């Protein structure tokens, strides 16, 4: 087999068989490509199937020498284990489990939410900063959708034109093609309606709801750049990213008394454990408020 055939099969498995996100597919295929380049004599499923722990360790060492962080190294190892398990199934090996190898420890930091006022100010700033009125209106609508409905940026940008006109709820397709229903606040509905009226490009039912300046789908990078400019103007930290708006949605709902199960459904988390981190965020926020109110406690 040639290198490209192997990578194409792996790509198809990830995208079609496992329904991984485009971002994950690109990262996992790139990891497999690097392994194939390093192990140039392995060009069959059978030879790939018997890659051992020592080979994996050598590959990770090469990547770490390039400056790979712990988090990226852990992701690379996960991708390679999946690739080897796939190769073993393709080769008909009875035991498809990949070699055992423990990844680097990752210290998980708590999500950094923004305040409700900061979230609204960010939306206002991107609206004012738009090169055209409709672009500013579009960016404001996207940010309010992420903050007001707890959507991931990829989920917001994957919405199609047939979502219009918006009702009180919206069906969202999240990771693993799992669908959930989220409520839409009037301010979010109004922001999206305002954008749709101003948009100079036709919003087709089967086309993207959010359109880029040249008429194609709006990219994540453009939203990230707009928010980066806005947070600089407002003096907010680099942690104030589009994804931080989703964290803020969760944290503020939890602080207002939402229960974890309801929050899990709204966020589209597969497990309750992913949602439980927000209990720590809420406690950390309360502690910050306490320390601010009692300066002598800042130790």
């Amino acid at each position: 087999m040639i290198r490209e055939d192997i990578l194409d099969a792996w790509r198809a498995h990830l995208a079609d068989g496992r329904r991984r996100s485009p971002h994950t597919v690109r990262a996992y295929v790139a990891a497999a490509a690097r392994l194939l380049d390093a192990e140039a004599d392995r060009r069959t499923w059978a030879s790939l199937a018997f890659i051992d722990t020592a080979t994996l360790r050598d590959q990770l060492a090469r990547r770490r020498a390039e400056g790979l962080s712990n988090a990226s190294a852990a992701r690379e190892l996960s991708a390679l284990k999946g690739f080897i398990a796939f190769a073993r199934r393709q080769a008909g090996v009875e035991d498809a489990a990949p070699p055992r190898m423990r990844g680097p420890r990752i210290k998980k930091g708590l999500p950094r939410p923004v305040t409700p006022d900061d979230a609204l100010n960010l939306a206002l700033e991107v609206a004012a900063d738009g090169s055209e009125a409709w672009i500013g209106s579009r960016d404001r609508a996207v940010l309010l959708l992420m903050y007001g409905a707890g959507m991931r940026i990829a989920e917001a940008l994957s919405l199609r034109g047939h979502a219009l006109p918006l009702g009180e709820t919206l069906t969202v397709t999240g990771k693993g093609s799992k669908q959930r229903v989220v409520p839409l606040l009037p301010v979010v509905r109004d922001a999206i309606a305002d954008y749709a009226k101003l948009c100079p490009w036709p919003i087709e039912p089967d086309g993207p709801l959010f359109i880029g300046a040249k008429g194609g789908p709006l990219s994540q990078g453009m939203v990230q750049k707009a928010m980066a400019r806005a947070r600089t103007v407002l003096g907010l930290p680099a942690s104030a990213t589009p994804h931080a708006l989703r964290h803020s949605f969760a944290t503020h709902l939890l602080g207002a008394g939402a229960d974890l199960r309801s929050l899990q459904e709204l966020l589209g988390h597969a497990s309750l454990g992913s949602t439980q981190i927000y209990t720590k965020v809420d406690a950390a926020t309360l502690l910050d408020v306490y320390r601010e109110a009692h300066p002598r406690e800042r130790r």
Side-chain angles (χ1 to χ4, degrees):
M1 295 182 69
I2 62 174
R3 174 181 182 273
E4 286 67 28
D5 289 341
I6 293 172
L7 294 178
D8 284 344
W10 175 228
R11 183 182 294 106
H13 169 71
L14 292 168
D16 302 329
R18 299 296 302 277
R19 296 185 178 276
R20 298 285 189 169
S21 71
H23 177 73
T24 299
V25 172
R26 285 193 298 271
Y28 277 38
V29 170
R34 285 188 287 269
L35 179 64
L36 289 173
D37 291 340
E39 301 292 322
D41 58 333
R42 298 181 187 269
R43 286 294 185 270
T44 66
W45 292 122
S47 60
L48 289 169
F50 290 99
I51 287 179
D52 56 15
T53 302
T55 304
L56 270 186
R57 188 177 292 112
D58 289 345
Q59 178 66 6
L60 263 293
R62 283 190 287 267
R63 294 287 288 141
R64 292 304 292 267
E66 297 171 4
L68 210 63
S69 67
N70 279 359
S72 296
R75 181 189 181 98
E76 184 102 353
L77 179 59
S78 176
L80 293 178
K81 283 183 174 181
F83 177 58
I84 294 168
F86 176 67
R88 290 185 172 183
R89 288 193 293 273
Q90 295 297 102
V93 177
E94 186 173 343
D95 180 11
R100 290 187 177 183
M101 179 176 170
R102 182 176 296 178
R105 285 191 173 187
I106 303 174
K107 184 179 179 181
K108 291 188 176 181
L110 293 177
R112 297 283 298 277
V114 299
T115 68
D117 284 344
D118 285 341
L120 296 179
N121 287 335
L122 283 164
L124 290 173
E125 180 58 34
V126 296
D129 184 56
S131 57
E132 297 181 47
W134 78 271
I135 289 178
S137 179
R138 176 202 66 195
D139 293 346
R140 174 177 176 266
V142 173
L143 295 197
L144 287 178
L145 187 58
M146 289 189 289
Y147 176 63
M151 293 175 63
R152 302 177 178 92
I153 185 172
E155 293 171 346
L157 299 187
S158 69
L159 293 174
R160 316 305 287 175
H162 58 64
L164 298 175
L166 294 171
E168 294 184 353
T169 62
L170 180 65
T171 300
V172 179
T173 302
K175 290 184 176 181
S177 298
K178 293 181 179 178
Q179 291 190 323
R180 67 184 189 277
V181 177
V182 297
L184 290 180
L185 298 170
V187 65
V188 177
R189 297 200 302 267
D190 292 344
I192 295 175
D194 289 343
Y195 148 70
K197 290 177 184 177
L198 293 173
C199 183
W201 302 97
I203 301 177
E204 304 292 347
D206 292 330
L209 173 59
F210 294 109
I211 298 176
K214 296 183 179 180
L218 177 62
S219 70
Q220 293 188 25
M222 295 308 295
V223 178
Q224 291 163 343
K225 288 178 181 178
M227 188 155 174
R229 291 193 300 269
R231 72 170 177 252
T232 298
V233 171
L234 297 173
L236 297 177
S239 58
T241 62
H243 200 65
L245 296 176
R246 173 174 158 90
H247 291 318
S248 303
F249 164 85
T251 304
H252 299 160
L253 273 184
L254 188 64
D259 65 272
L260 282 175
R261 284 293 180 189
S262 297
L263 194 56
Q264 178 187 1
E265 292 180 8
L266 288 173
L267 292 171
H269 284 159
S271 68
L272 189 61
S274 298
T275 314
Q276 286 175 329
I277 190 172
Y278 291 105
T279 60
K280 298 179 182 179
V281 175
D282 193 48
T285 302
L286 287 175
L287 186 58
D288 286 343
V289 172
Y290 173 76
R291 286 174 173 164
E292 186 65 27
H294 301 278
R296 283 181 292 182
E297 295 298 326
R298 296 178 191 170
R299 298 178 186 180

